[in-house]
Amino acid sequence: MKEKILQTAFEKGYKAGIPKQFINQNKNIALVSFYNALNDSFWHPFVVGLERVVRREGYSLLMCHFNEEDSKKRMIPSTVQSEKVAGIVMIGLYSQRYAQCFVDLGLPIVFVDCNVEINIGNLVADVIKMDNERSTYELTKYLIREKGCTRLGFYGDVAACAGYQERYQGFLKALTEFNLPFNPEESLVFDTKERYTSESTMRRALQKINYLPEAFVCCNDGRAISLMAELKKMDYRVPEDIKVVGFDDQREASMVTPALTTIKCDREHLGYRTGEELFWRFKNPDRPFEIITLPTQPVIRESSE
């Protein structure tokens, strides 16, 4: 009854004292990502979960993409800039300065993971992420305690986002607990200036390592699968010579040979929970911003056996 009165008041032009959700009548939610992010199978279940909530609330989901040039020039996609959306979900990799452009629009926004530079102690929006540090810590412990590995390397772009940084910290925490040294020369840890993403650059980087570690902990499944392919070309056997583990449990993780040990997050639930948080924010615009961490679980397969 109260909502009907508020809606009638809005239709008659009485806006003072009426909650924001009745003033903003846009019925679209923008899912903002780097131009090719949604080609990654990781995000497919996420979109399914997010769209379930968006449709349930009577809204539509708009896919909005940006490229490197947009990010450098801080240009917001026209579908967002034209004030056709009521809220924003931002996924993938983006700079702090570019993310701030979206925050400055004043719309409810949820970041899935976040740039590593974002100040967690001074949040400017809600953040949903996976249990990155603890789960990587536990999987690294498994390699040490159960598989007897004493020389472990990390592979990943730790400067790209908070999630990768947290996974790296979990890896280092496990080494410290078991009094194992971390040798940067036995890892492929890189910043945004140097990336080992192509076959040739990865091969050159691996060839520079005098003694490859007994196991690689990778920031995600894509990196892990690429690494296994390069190791095979170099006549190393996985897992007999080098064990490899990933993160995300993407579809490809169970399809490669050997099947990849990884960490699973319910990605459809990640999308669903993101949608719930956004619509909660619609109704609670003045509440403190939140960081929500979703649980994960290890998936042990042949690549670490």
Side-chain angles (χ1 to χ4, degrees), residues 23-304:
I23 296 176
N24 189 344
Q25 294 297 291
N26 296 326
K27 304 295 283 186
N28 298 310
I29 301 300
L31 176 58
V32 180
S33 68
F34 192 64
Y35 78 100
N36 63 350
L38 291 177
N39 293 336
D40 190 329
S41 64
F42 174 88
W43 293 111
H44 299 169
F46 174 89
V47 174
V48 171
L50 175 61
E51 194 163 29
R52 280 173 55 204
V53 180
V54 170
R55 290 193 175 194
R56 183 191 71 194
E57 298 294 331
Y59 286 68
S60 299
L61 190 63
L62 297 180
M63 306 298 182
C64 305
H65 307 292
F66 65 89
N67 56 35
E68 289 186 12
E69 190 68 15
D70 296 330
S71 181
K72 288 177 182 177
K73 294 182 178 180
R74 303 183 208 176
M75 296 175 58
I76 293 174
S78 59
T79 47
V80 178
Q81 201 172 39
S82 61
E83 299 181 354
K84 294 179 180 178
V85 300
I88 300 168
V89 172
M90 200 158 180
I91 65 173
L93 305 180
Y94 39 82
S95 70
Q96 180 183 11
R97 288 189 294 182
Y98 192 52
Q100 188 62 47
C101 295
F102 291 87
V103 172
D104 290 344
L105 293 173
L107 295 170
I109 182 169
V110 178
F111 292 108
V112 181
D113 210 336
C114 59
N115 183 276
V116 73
E117 299 173 33
I118 287 180
N119 185 353
I120 299 300
N122 185 27
L123 290 174
V124 295
D126 297 306
V127 175
I128 292 189
K129 65 186 187 69
M130 293 170 281
D131 188 3
N132 295 297
E133 182 173 337
R134 184 203 60 81
S135 53
T136 307
Y137 161 75
E138 293 291 346
L139 188 55
T140 306
K141 275 177 57 178
Y142 164 80
L143 291 170
I144 298 168
R145 188 163 54 192
E146 303 298 327
K147 296 302 172 182
C149 297
T150 58
R151 293 175 48 249
L152 297 93
F154 190 87
Y155 175 28
D157 181 357
V158 298
C161 66
Y164 293 174
Q165 181 68 251
E166 289 168 354
R167 294 168 198 178
Y168 182 49
Q169 292 303 318
F171 165 78
L172 294 176
K173 181 180 177 182
L175 294 188
T176 300
E177 181 173 313
F178 285 88
N179 296 314
L180 295 176
F182 171 62
N183 186 352
E185 295 179 358
E186 295 180 353
S187 289
L188 302 177
V189 177
F190 50 101
D191 59 23
T192 53
K193 295 179 182 178
E194 183 176 18
R195 297 171 183 263
Y196 307 125
T197 52
S198 71
E199 291 183 6
S200 59
T201 54
M202 186 194 299
R203 189 177 304 118
R204 285 197 299 270
L206 288 170
Q207 289 171 344
K208 289 180 182 179
I209 301 176
N210 292 327
Y211 299 100
L212 288 174
E214 298 166 319
F216 271 107
V217 176
C218 302
C219 70
N220 62 27
D221 289 347
R223 295 282 192 266
I225 291 169
S226 297
L227 177 61
M228 287 199 299
E230 284 305 309
L231 290 172
K232 184 177 181 180
K233 292 176 184 177
M234 296 170 66
D235 293 326
Y236 287 97
R237 299 170 301 164
V238 177
E240 293 87 351
D241 299 324
I242 302 174
K243 303 181 190 306
V244 177
V245 301
F247 196 112
D248 290 335
D249 195 29
Q250 294 184 231
R251 182 176 62 247
E252 296 85 354
S254 62
M255 299 169 62
V256 294
T257 303
L260 180 65
T261 290
T262 185
I263 294 168
K264 177 182 178 62
C265 174
D266 186 336
R267 299 191 298 279
E268 185 170 337
H269 178 64
L270 178 65
Y272 189 88
R273 189 66 187 83
T274 298
E276 286 188 324
E277 180 68 11
L278 183 65
F279 285 102
W280 178 85
R281 179 57 61 191
F282 281 6
K283 298 172 185 176
N284 299 276
D286 298 322
R287 294 287 294 273
F289 293 120
E290 301 180 327
I291 302 176
I292 298 171
T293 302
L294 299 184
T296 59
Q297 62 185 42
V299 180
I300 306 300
R301 298 193 179 104
E302 290 83 356
S303 70
S304 64

